[in-house]
Amino acid sequence: MHSFKTTALAGAVVLALSGGAVQAQPTSEIRALKGTVEDLRKQVQELKKSSPRASTSSLEQARIDELTKQVNELRALLTQQQAAAQATTQAAVAAGGEETKEAIEARTPATQADITGLRADIENYKYDQSRLQERNIPSVTRNTRIGGSLTLRHDFSNPGAARSASSSGNGPTDIRQSGFNAAAFGLNFSGNLFRDYAEGRNLTYRLALTSQNTATSSSTTVNLTDAYLRYSFHPSTGNPEDPLGTLTLGQQTVAFGLDAQAIDPEVKAVIGNAGFVSGLGLGTRQVGLVVAGDYAPYVDFTNNYRAPLLSYSLGLLNGNGPNKADNNDYRDIAARLVYTLPVDYNSWFRQLQIGASYYRGALSLGPAGTTGVTTATAKGSNDIFGFDVNWTHLPFSVSYEWAYGKQELYKQDTLVTSGKNADGYKRGVGQYINLGYTWGEQFLASSRQQGKFDDYWPKSYQAFVRFDTWDPNRSALVNDDKKVATTLGLNVFFAETTKLQVNYVRTRNQLNGAASTEAKPETHNLWQVQLNATF
């Protein structure tokens, strides 16, 4: 009994103290307060009945009297609130001529018809959304992210491109100095096949298609580029302090150097690749199994910066290029190791990386055949070594790369029989240095994290100069095949996923006294304007 009366008294006191702050509350709250007062009144009456005055002590009687007093005060407070609410309504009517619509709606209870109508509207909305999901929105079994890119370009060269051969199917052709080119389009799908919520060892996939046109064909061929499954044997929890480790099976980019991995247009600093990339056969994807990851990452959460001390990649590949079965019974090996200088974010040596790459390939050697099938008579080696240094510290960027290839030749090859490569090996070497300067806001973390209105995105500009040399055969008896190219480039980033590239490339061919030809002029000038958009 003592506990019950104390609780009732405490509730009354709380209501009394809060009365001053609710003088203008809606009518519904006044009704609630009135109900509370009525409940307290009934409780007091029941308390009196259960504790007759004759048998009640003076202390208990004092508590009952105090509770009765609190109930009376609450009644008085309720009367004041009702009077205040009525006065407020009358003042609003007097000021505006009539009570506002909001005030009327606030004190109008919902009818059964209103509730039934609301339920009908909700069911109709659910039906419409279900039909929209079924008829207008594509669905997949697993979560999938769709992306792609479109690359458009205009070229102008002096002297123009050499005439096409008559067997190209295009009929007579002229030397072409300029022309438009829908250089490439790409479409890719990626997603998660198995999400490991316990340890973060997820299984993901990627499928990518691309198409490029040429001057010798009127049809467009769509080719498969990336097609692989990737398993994270290190937990991919999203914590940047955790090391990364993946196992990738399928067709993928070969991790060799810097420029050879920049195959897709959206990731290239300049439009063309270095000379040694195509010369050594590096600018292709391969089919195989690759393990890659990093070790001991340094993380600066304030600047959203992550730099692993070591990054590694080791692959076992077919070596016959993309979209092909292997043409021999030997596997190629690709290995790469990158060391990042362990300094903090504010250091000038931030993001200074030194990398080394090695590719060991196996060649099927045999005579050049005139039919579709040529029998291999021996196995040859194709070893490629690479070294690169990269430093990106906005607004500056510097990258240098050197590559050397040693390819075994068939013993009846013309280079061997003529004595130009008498030892049976052709050695090629190439290198480039790329200097860049960036100004603008797009690559600043402080700007990227700001809220964007509509499709607004801060602009950035990158200016590049690249010096590139490539000698496909270093034999002392072959001195008319070296190329030296100088590239001036400007990249304009005017949207989040769109950039405009302008390049001027001047190439000098080593002729060693030979006459200049259409296919091999002494100097060649090329202007290129390319627009790349990804989605």
Side-chain angles (χ1 to χ4, degrees):
M1 182 65 67
H2 173 74
S3 161
F4 171 77
K5 290 186 294 182
T6 303
T7 303
L9 180 59
V13 172
V14 170
L15 288 174
L17 292 176
S18 61
V22 292
Q23 290 296 326
Q25 294 298 319
T27 307
S28 59
E29 295 191 11
I30 295 177
R31 288 200 299 266
L33 182 59
K34 185 176 181 181
T36 303
V37 172
E38 185 63 26
D39 291 340
L40 287 174
R41 185 185 64 79
K42 292 180 179 179
Q43 293 175 14
V44 171
Q45 291 177 353
E46 292 177 357
L47 185 61
K48 289 181 178 180
K49 292 179 180 179
S50 61
S51 302
R53 183 173 300 271
S55 61
T56 304
S57 65
S58 59
L59 180 59
E60 294 293 333
Q61 183 62 43
R63 289 177 178 174
I64 293 175
D65 294 342
E66 180 65 24
L67 185 57
T68 304
K69 179 181 178 182
Q70 295 293 337
V71 171
N72 294 333
E73 291 178 355
L74 284 175
R75 286 178 176 174
L77 177 60
L78 177 60
T79 302
Q80 294 177 1
Q81 286 188 341
Q82 291 175 339
Q86 185 177 4
T88 302
T89 302
Q90 293 176 354
V93 173
E98 59 181 5
E99 190 176 0
T100 62
K101 181 180 179 181
E102 290 79 5
I104 296 174
E105 291 179 349
R107 61 182 178 82
T108 301
T111 64
Q112 186 64 34
D114 294 335
I115 297 175
T116 303
L118 178 60
R119 289 174 177 172
D121 291 341
I122 292 176
E123 291 299 324
N124 291 335
Y125 175 78
K126 289 166 58 179
Y127 175 79
D128 291 341
Q129 291 299 309
S130 177
R131 296 292 292 169
L132 177 66
Q133 185 78 20
E134 178 182 349
R135 296 169 60 89
N136 300 84
I137 301 177
S139 61
V140 294
T141 304
R142 299 292 303 182
N143 61 314
T144 299
R145 181 176 181 179
I146 303 175
S149 65
L150 178 64
T151 305
L152 308 173
R153 192 175 73 230
H154 182 271
D155 300 339
F156 178 84
S157 61
N158 183 29
R163 296 177 177 87
S164 300
S166 59
S167 60
S168 65
N170 290 343
T173 60
D174 297 330
I175 295 178
R176 300 178 303 280
Q177 281 196 320
S178 64
F180 293 98
N181 189 2
F185 80 86
L187 185 64
N188 61 79
F189 305 86
S190 60
N192 205 320
L193 295 175
F194 173 74
R195 185 180 297 277
D196 185 357
Y197 293 96
E199 298 182 353
R201 305 179 192 275
N202 300 329
L203 179 64
T204 60
Y205 74 92
R206 176 178 168 84
L207 174 68
L209 306 171
T210 188
S211 174
Q212 295 182 343
N213 60 12
T214 64
T216 60
S217 176
S218 60
S219 62
T220 298
T221 302
V222 177
N223 293 316
L224 190 66
T225 54
D226 292 331
Y228 58 75
L229 298 177
R230 176 169 291 169
Y231 172 70
S232 299
F233 57 84
H234 276 319
S236 54
T237 60
N239 183 4
E241 294 181 317
D242 293 340
L244 300 178
T246 60
L247 191 65
T248 306
L249 175 64
Q251 185 166 288
Q252 56 197 289
T253 304
V254 180
F256 186 99
L258 301 172
D259 205 64
Q261 298 187 69
I263 298 178
D264 299 322
E266 60 265 27
V267 299
K268 290 183 177 180
V270 295
I271 295 175
N273 285 105
F276 70 80
V277 172
S278 59
L280 296 176
L282 294 173
T284 61
R285 290 172 167 87
Q286 297 286 358
V287 181
L289 182 66
V290 176
V291 57
D294 56 31
Y295 169 75
Y298 166 76
V299 179
D300 186 334
F301 289 95
T302 304
N303 298 282
N304 194 24
Y305 174 72
R306 183 183 188 273
L309 181 67
L310 290 175
S311 299
Y312 60 88
S313 176
L314 180 63
L316 193 65
L317 311 168
N318 278 350
N320 198 32
N323 306 312
K324 298 178 184 178
D326 203 354
N327 61 349
N328 55 46
D329 200 28
Y330 305 96
R331 303 286 83 80
D332 292 2
I333 297 175
R336 175 165 172 78
L337 186 65
V338 179
Y339 170 78
T340 304
L341 203 65
V343 296
D344 61 26
Y345 182 82
N346 296 318
S347 172
W348 270 97
F349 296 101
R350 180 187 76 227
Q351 203 64 19
L352 177 59
Q353 297 178 330
I354 302 173
S357 304
Y358 171 67
Y359 187 93
R360 179 172 179 80
L363 301 173
S364 298
L365 302 180
T370 57
T371 61
V373 177
T374 302
T375 302
T377 60
K379 178 178 76 76
S381 62
N382 181 30
D383 297 335
I384 308 173
F385 305 88
F387 169 79
D388 57 86
V389 179
N390 181 61
W391 177 65
T392 301
H393 188 109
L394 289 178
F396 307 103
S397 64
V398 179
S399 59
Y400 169 80
E401 188 169 359
W402 173 89
Y404 170 84
K406 181 182 178 182
Q407 178 181 340
E408 189 172 355
L409 301 172
Y410 178 56
K411 60 182 179 180
Q412 298 299 326
D413 190 280
T414 304
L415 292 174
V416 178
T417 57
S418 65
K420 293 181 178 180
N421 295 87
D423 63 350
Y425 289 92
K426 184 176 72 171
R427 298 167 178 84
V429 65
Q431 59 183 334
Y432 73 87
I433 184 171
N434 192 71
L435 308 174
Y437 183 82
T438 302
W439 68 97
E441 299 180 343
Q442 179 162 344
F443 299 100
L444 300 179
S446 59
S447 177
R448 293 176 65 90
Q449 294 173 358
Q450 292 178 355
K452 304 299 187 298
F453 175 75
D454 197 14
D455 202 24
Y456 164 77
W457 197 259
K459 295 181 177 61
S460 284
Y461 306 86
Q462 291 177 336
F464 289 98
V465 56
R466 183 171 73 177
F467 304 97
D468 175 31
T469 64
W470 165 236
D471 187 357
N473 195 337
R474 298 190 67 191
S475 172
L477 301 178
V478 180
N479 51 15
D480 60 351
D481 59 347
K482 187 176 181 180
K483 292 184 177 182
V484 179
T486 302
T487 303
L488 300 178
L490 176 65
N491 296 337
V492 181
F493 297 85
F494 56 88
E496 181 179 3
T497 59
T498 306
K499 69 176 178 180
L500 177 69
Q501 295 180 281
V502 181
N503 282 186
Y504 166 66
V505 185
R506 180 176 177 83
T507 304
R508 291 171 293 164
N509 294 301
Q510 185 184 42
L511 298 178
N512 196 27
S516 177
T517 64
E518 288 182 8
K520 190 177 180 180
E522 182 177 3
T523 60
H524 180 262
N525 299 287
L526 175 65
W527 290 265
Q528 295 179 303
V529 179
Q530 178 170 286
L531 178 66
N532 179 260
T534 60
F535 59 87

